[in-house]
Amino acid sequence: MAFNQKDIISIRDFDKKDIEYILKLAKEMEPIARSEKKSDALSGKLLGMLFYEPSTRTRLSFEAAMKRLGGSTIGFAEAGTSSATKGENLTDTVRIVGEYSDALVIRHNMEGTARFVANIVDVPVINAGDGAGQHPTQTMLDLYTMKRILGRIDDLRIALVGDLKYGRTVHSLAYALAKFDVDVSFVSPKELKMPREILHDLSKSGVDVYETENIHEVLDKTDVLYVTRIQKERFPDPAEYLKIKGAYTITSKLLEGSDAIVMHPLPRIDEISHDVDNTPQGRYFEQAFYGVPVRMALLKSVIK
Ligand code: NCD
């Protein structure tokens, strides 16, 4: 099994079978995540959590997942409370926390950090987001959400909407979807298109790439609208951000005549209006919950 005591750095390191295994295990974890059943599968185990970038759902759902399985967590939620502020380098910090823990979760603003850390420590390393790079556990929960709500991933028509340039969730998800038999369209302002090298990789794996700036073109031809936040913090120039801010807003009015479910990794700023929240189409809160059973499945698979 590809996940056995292995690092989870990029979704590209796993094949369709590996992903399906995790989705199946996540379904078994759901009653434990909902507190209907108890588990001590990871009792006595410690998860080290190193968050150098802000996080709510990812960090707390890893914590919930670990604790629901009887394990515990140590770590920091911002580098400001670690010895990084005294000038300690990343290598020393992760070496130490790696010694204290049975697995490490790391989020960092620099692409490639998780891979770098995996080469330093002996315990499994899980990438919780590295800059505009990858966010493989988010992708796993995104796929789980589709499968759980729509019953399948193959044959779906999925539109990725918003900041496709800097958004790591859509980079990971695009690579994962390429392993399935799906239709993917990319909807973004021209300044925030999916990076050419990713599109090139997708074409090579047989994905028909369709790009547009106009969301109306895809609305009645899509099963999943996967909406993302404009990644303000990754813009080299704030003036560029101001030009594009608010490029798309999904409202319940816009969704009239479309059957698509609306997903979003969250946090949402103004991309989805609140009137979508309680409609049968707005599924992002449910999606956020699925982060717990999916991360339980992953932790159970990688921790010895
Ligand atoms: C995302 C992230 O950090 O990449 N959040 C998350 O993990 N759910 C998306 C974002 O910040 O826009």
Side-chain angles (χ1 to χ4, degrees), residues 57-58 107 135 138 168-169 229 231 265-267:
R57 275 148 293 268
T58 304
R107 168 172 286 189
H135 195 349
Q138 176 72 42
R168 56 194 172 203
T169 64
R229 175 178 71 88
Q231 308 282 298
L266 304 177

Side-chain angles (χ1 to χ4, degrees), residues 53-59 107 128-129 131 134-135 138 141 166-169 226 228-231 233-234 264-268 271 295:
E53 251 197 356
S55 170
T56 304
R57 275 148 293 268
T58 304
R59 186 171 61 81
R107 168 172 286 189
Q134 282 263 325
H135 195 349
Q138 176 72 42
L141 82 89
Y166 296 115
R168 56 194 172 203
T169 64
Y226 188 97
T228 61
R229 175 178 71 88
I230 312 268
Q231 308 282 298
E233 67 277 29
R234 309 216 193 282
H264 192 304
L266 304 177
R268 133 188 76 183
E271 315 80 59
R295 292 185 168 111

Side-chain angles (χ1 to χ4, degrees), residues 181-192:
D181 188 12
V182 292
D183 245 33
V184 192
S185 32
F186 300 97
V187 184
S188 72
K190 62 178 183 313
E191 296 83 352
L192 295 178

